[in-house]
Amino acid sequence: MIVSPIDQGWKIIFHKAHALLAMDIGLKLDRKFWPIEKFWAAGMESIGEHDNDQPKWNERDNLTVSGAPLDYRQREQVDLKQAKAVVTSAKYKSSFIVLMVSAHFQKLYGESKELEVQRFLEELTKSYEEIILNMGLKTEEVAQCYEFLRFCDDLSLALCQNDFDSHKNPVQIRSIVDDRNITLNKLSTGEYQLHPWIFAEDEAVFHCEYFHTSKDFYNEDQELRSDLDFLHPKEMRFLFRRQIG
């Protein structure tokens, strides 16, 4: 969950909603940045699938010690069960999706010191190399496909987390094709801009659903879950417009 404080209660964006936003971003980017046309559909699916199998509602898995909803950035341990579930699910759909989610977990957990996590990543590396060899793919092209996914994920997170409130300067997101950054600006009008512009059209509109809680603290997960009105989500809207001139 992506959790932000509001005047009363909390604003909650579930990771599946953030992933859907990331996929929508991917669909509107210029396709020249996607090097393997054959796997366009699988690539877009991998963007939407990489955060699957969460949340789990068990006792106090989604609460802090004080009982507030737990933001994903506050988690101290790797949710290895969730990561394995995503990889297992991908195996039944597309080997290319396995490549994408494997690369994503390497990025997320590559510096983890947990022995079990290291073993998991070693297994992913072996599978990754074997799949690329078996499918006759070019490592560089697969890597750029993952950078496409990573950019969509980074931009979606920046929007969902409202990073503009915590940054005095424009938000910098690493480019898809090189080490240069793409600058994300929020204007006083509420519109957003990217520089350099990498969407296919001069305007792009995105939406993401979220929920408000009615309380600040809870005794258990099920109490938080019951407090969320899943039939009446709220909606964020993000309008990007290309700067002319």
Side-chain angles (χ1 to χ4, degrees), residues 18-34 40-41 43-48 145 147-156 159 176 194 198-201 204-206:
H18 139 65
L20 183 61
L21 172 59
M23 182 169 68
D24 197 13
I25 290 169
L27 289 169
K28 291 183 174 67
L29 290 180
D30 192 326
R31 287 178 69 160
K32 72 179 182 181
F33 297 110
W34 184 263
W40 172 252
M44 295 307 99
E45 176 69 3
S46 66
I47 297 174
C145 286
E147 289 303 313
F148 190 106
L149 181 156
R150 188 269 314 152
F151 176 85
C152 296
D153 188 55
D154 287 351
L155 178 54
S156 176
L159 296 173
I176 296 172
L194 283 183
I198 59 173
F199 289 117
E201 305 294 337
V205 181
F206 306 103

Side-chain angles (χ1 to χ4, degrees), residues 3-84:
V3 181
S4 305
I6 54 178
D7 290 340
Q8 180 179 354
W10 304 89
K11 175 182 176 181
I12 293 179
I13 302 172
F14 287 102
H15 262 67
K16 289 182 180 181
H18 139 65
L20 183 61
L21 172 59
M23 182 169 68
D24 197 13
I25 290 169
L27 289 169
K28 291 183 174 67
L29 290 180
D30 192 326
R31 287 178 69 160
K32 72 179 182 181
F33 297 110
W34 184 263
I36 313 178
E37 181 64 26
K38 176 181 177 180
F39 297 112
W40 172 252
M44 295 307 99
E45 176 69 3
S46 66
I47 297 174
E49 186 163 307
H50 74 277
D51 278 325
N52 278 356
D53 203 47
Q54 54 179 313
K56 302 179 183 69
W57 302 101
N58 299 311
E59 297 181 355
R60 293 175 57 88
D61 286 354
N62 296 289
L63 300 176
T64 65
V65 174
S66 64
L70 182 67
D71 183 87
Y72 80 99
R73 290 161 287 187
Q74 296 172 286
R75 291 192 180 276
E76 297 179 355
Q77 292 184 321
V78 173
D79 188 350
L80 197 54
K81 186 176 180 180
Q82 180 265 340
K84 289 182 176 180

Side-chain angles (χ1 to χ4, degrees), residues 129-180:
E129 294 172 349
E130 186 172 343
I131 291 172
I132 286 181
L133 181 63
N134 182 56
M135 298 179 74
L137 299 174
K138 296 180 180 179
T139 302
E140 298 80 7
E141 290 184 340
V142 174
Q144 185 174 334
C145 286
Y146 172 69
E147 289 303 313
F148 190 106
L149 181 156
R150 188 269 314 152
F151 176 85
C152 296
D153 188 55
D154 287 351
L155 178 54
S156 176
L157 279 176
L159 296 173
C160 290
Q161 294 170 180
N162 196 20
D163 283 348
F164 308 94
D165 280 353
S166 56
H167 291 73
K168 294 182 180 179
N169 299 317
V171 176
Q172 302 293 321
I173 302 176
R174 195 170 81 247
S175 171
I176 296 172
V177 295
D178 53 41
D179 292 332
R180 293 179 298 176

Side-chain angles (χ1 to χ4, degrees), residues 19 34 39 41-54 78-110 117 120-125 127-129 131-132 142-143 145-150 153:
W34 184 263
F39 297 112
M44 295 307 99
E45 176 69 3
S46 66
I47 297 174
E49 186 163 307
H50 74 277
D51 278 325
N52 278 356
D53 203 47
Q54 54 179 313
V78 173
D79 188 350
L80 197 54
K81 186 176 180 180
Q82 180 265 340
K84 289 182 176 180
V86 170
V87 174
T88 298
S89 175
K91 288 178 180 178
Y92 294 105
K93 189 176 293 185
S94 164
S95 295
F96 188 82
I97 295 178
V98 174
L99 291 178
M100 294 295 99
V101 297
S102 295
H104 191 61
F105 290 133
Q106 293 285 358
K107 170 183 176 284
L108 292 180
Y109 308 135
V117 174
F120 170 66
L121 296 180
E122 288 173 2
E123 292 173 1
L124 289 185
T125 298
S127 298
Y128 186 94
E129 294 172 349
I131 291 172
I132 286 181
V142 174
C145 286
Y146 172 69
E147 289 303 313
F148 190 106
L149 181 156
R150 188 269 314 152
D153 188 55

Side-chain angles (χ1 to χ4, degrees), residues 176-230:
I176 296 172
V177 295
D178 53 41
D179 292 332
R180 293 179 298 176
N181 287 333
I182 291 179
T183 302
L184 171 62
N185 278 299
K186 184 177 182 180
L187 306 181
S188 59
T189 60
E191 296 178 3
Y192 295 85
Q193 290 183 342
L194 283 183
H195 182 76
W197 185 259
I198 59 173
F199 289 117
E201 305 294 337
D202 289 341
E203 184 175 299
V205 181
F206 306 103
H207 302 87
C208 184
E209 293 185 356
Y210 67 96
F211 301 90
H212 279 175
T213 70
S214 65
K215 302 194 304 182
D216 292 326
F217 304 103
Y218 302 86
N219 294 313
E220 58 182 17
D221 276 8
Q222 289 302 327
E223 186 181 346
L224 168 60
R225 185 180 186 182
S226 298
D227 189 38
L228 299 174
D229 187 355
F230 288 104

